[in-house]
Every structure is written in structure tokens, then in C-alpha cells.
Amino acid sequence: MLPDGFHFEPYVGGPGLYLGERLVATTCPANYDPSPPWRTCTFPSGLPRYVFHDTEEQAVRYMTAWAVKWEAQIRESVRNAGDPFAHLMIARGKGIHTTHPRRRRSRR
């Protein structure tokens, strides 16, 4: 059973685990073979971690157990994670400077 606030929703190739509106884990077939392994990716913040499973059911059980075990840390990392696109925001009234000083050619 998932902790409060966690829920599964369909994601690109399989189920995704969400904490509120934030995607924290996904699973999908690893390739296009007839019976491929399922690749589970956990990434509450920072670098992703991949684990492989034989079936989708095993992957979903893994994500559920992961959410139960690491609930406090997942909540903390989601709470501290800022907007992933914040670096693209430009303060009103300030433009992007696209000119750079040219290097002087050395005289020999």
C-alpha cells in the first residue's frame, strides 16, 4: 500500500509513481524484444537510479516498496527541489547579454 500522497498514473511506456504532481519514479519496457525486461527509474531529485525487473508487476511492487521505505527522504527531496526550468526564467526588465568581448589577436 502506498503512503499518503503517492499514486500511480500512466506514463510514457508504463506506470509512473507520483508524489502529488511530481513524478518520482517510472517503469517501462527496456527495449522492443518480445518479452523485454522492465527498467525502473527512481529520481526524486538528482541523478536517476535504474533497476531491472522481469515483469511490470515486479516493477510496480518495487516502486511501492521503495516509496514506503524512503518516504521521508522522497518527501524532503521533492520539497527542496526547485523548479527544474528556473534557470531559463529571465527577470523582467533584464535582457540576455549575447555579446562577448573578443580576444585580441596576439602580435608576434
Side-chain angles (χ1 to χ4, degrees):
M1 186 158 155
L2 286 171
D4 289 339
F6 287 85
H7 62 279
F8 285 103
E9 288 183 21
Y11 191 66
V12 177
L17 178 62
Y18 288 80
L19 173 55
E21 298 295 318
R22 178 77 181 257
L23 182 66
V24 294
T26 63
T27 190
C28 63
N31 54 38
Y32 298 106
D33 290 341
S35 60
W38 281 75
R39 177 179 56 218
T40 302
C41 178
T42 55
F43 51 89
S45 67
L47 297 174
R49 179 175 183 266
Y50 295 98
V51 179
F52 292 88
H53 305 279
D54 293 329
T55 65
E56 180 181 0
E57 292 78 25
Q58 288 176 349
V60 169
R61 281 197 312 264
Y62 175 84
M63 288 191 295
T64 303
W66 174 78
V68 169
K69 181 176 181 179
W70 298 104
E71 176 185 2
Q73 289 85 347
I74 295 167
R75 288 184 188 280
E76 184 68 24
S77 64
V78 167
R79 184 178 14 258
N80 291 335
D83 181 6
F85 300 106
H87 66 285
L88 299 175
M89 303 299 281
I90 300 172
R92 182 170 267 162
K94 294 184 179 180
I96 298 176
H97 301 288
T98 58
T99 59
H100 302 283
R102 293 186 177 175
R103 299 176 85 186
R104 289 188 173 185
R105 187 177 165 140
S106 61
R107 296 182 186 182
R108 291 188 185 189

